[in-house]
Amino acid sequence: MLIGELHVGGLVMVTTRDKIYLAIVAVLVLVILALANRFILSAPVVEVGDGRRGITLEHGEHALVLREMRSFLSGLQQLVDALANDDMHEAAKAGRSLARAAESPIPGVLSSKLPVEYKLFTRSIQHLLDRMAVETEWAKLPKRTLSQVAEVIQTCVACHEKYRVVVASAAAPAQAHDPGSPSLPGKKEP
């Protein structure tokens, strides 16, 4: 039963106020769907010529993503170094730091350019890091933590095998690498 329906001769009459409410709800649903499409679902990718899909970003966004990846690798290196030295206190500290960094929100415009599957890879890494940080701190089992690091790296490798970030002006397959980083023969670009 709608808010202001009237019963006239066995017929249900919808009031103007109800029509306005329904129109507002319909507009809100359309706005939500448009935003979901813009920020969650749509993310154009290009073929970059090496079998991977290119995620096209502006220069600043590209630099941000690569900087985050380098920072992540640095954190993983600190964690592995602590494990190699049987320093579970430092390993837990590095694990917590990695987990916190992984929780940083992705700026909205950048997020809209990332394919859903890429976001699933990053979400998977976040969950793995959260679990690893807690287990490293409380269980203090170096081999278990190292196994979890391997699982994180496996996820990274899977993502890098599928995607490559490219600068918008270099999105053409012939120019799909970062001009600031030299290509090594036989090596895939990040």
Side-chain angles (χ1 to χ4, degrees):
M1 179 188 240
L2 295 174
I3 296 171
E5 70 183 31
L6 300 172
H7 295 275
V8 179
L11 298 175
V12 176
M13 304 286 292
V14 179
T15 66
T16 302
R17 185 173 62 181
D18 290 335
K19 290 178 184 177
I20 291 171
Y21 287 147
L22 290 173
I24 290 171
V25 168
V27 167
L28 288 175
V29 166
L30 290 174
V31 167
I32 289 169
L33 289 174
L35 289 173
N37 183 49
R38 173 75 173 124
F39 290 104
I40 298 172
L41 301 176
S42 70
V45 293
V46 295
E47 293 301 322
V48 292
D50 64 358
R52 295 183 287 172
R53 291 189 269 171
I55 300 171
T56 306
L57 303 175
E58 296 302 320
H59 183 72
E61 297 164 334
H62 181 261
L64 172 69
V65 169
L66 294 183
R67 188 171 46 250
E68 291 289 325
M69 287 181 186
R70 285 189 299 272
S71 175
F72 178 75
L73 284 173
S74 177
L76 276 179
Q77 186 276 324
Q78 291 170 8
L79 175 61
V80 171
D81 188 48
L83 291 170
N85 291 311
D86 290 324
D87 188 345
M88 292 308 289
H89 174 73
E90 283 301 312
K93 184 177 166 185
R96 282 191 308 272
S97 179
L98 279 168
R100 275 194 307 274
E103 292 172 357
S104 300
I106 300 170
V109 174
L110 176 57
S111 181
S112 70
K113 296 178 180 183
L114 302 174
V116 172
E117 190 174 9
Y118 178 91
K119 293 176 192 177
L120 292 175
F121 277 122
T122 61
R123 179 54 91 194
S124 173
I125 288 172
Q126 288 171 350
H127 290 300
L128 290 168
L129 290 172
D130 286 339
R131 188 178 75 223
M132 183 183 67
V134 169
E135 289 183 20
T136 300
E137 189 166 7
W138 295 105
K140 298 184 184 347
L141 299 170
K143 286 187 179 184
R144 172 68 182 143
T145 302
L146 197 52
S147 174
Q148 290 171 319
V149 169
E151 194 176 350
V152 168
I153 292 172
Q154 207 172 29
T155 305
C156 293
V157 168
C159 186
H160 280 263
E161 285 178 346
K162 186 161 195 138
Y163 294 105
R164 177 176 173 184
V165 292
V166 296
V167 178
S169 61
Q175 304 171 349
H177 78 282
D178 179 6
S181 71
S183 263
L184 298 175
K187 298 283 184 178
K188 287 186 176 178
E189 302 271 339

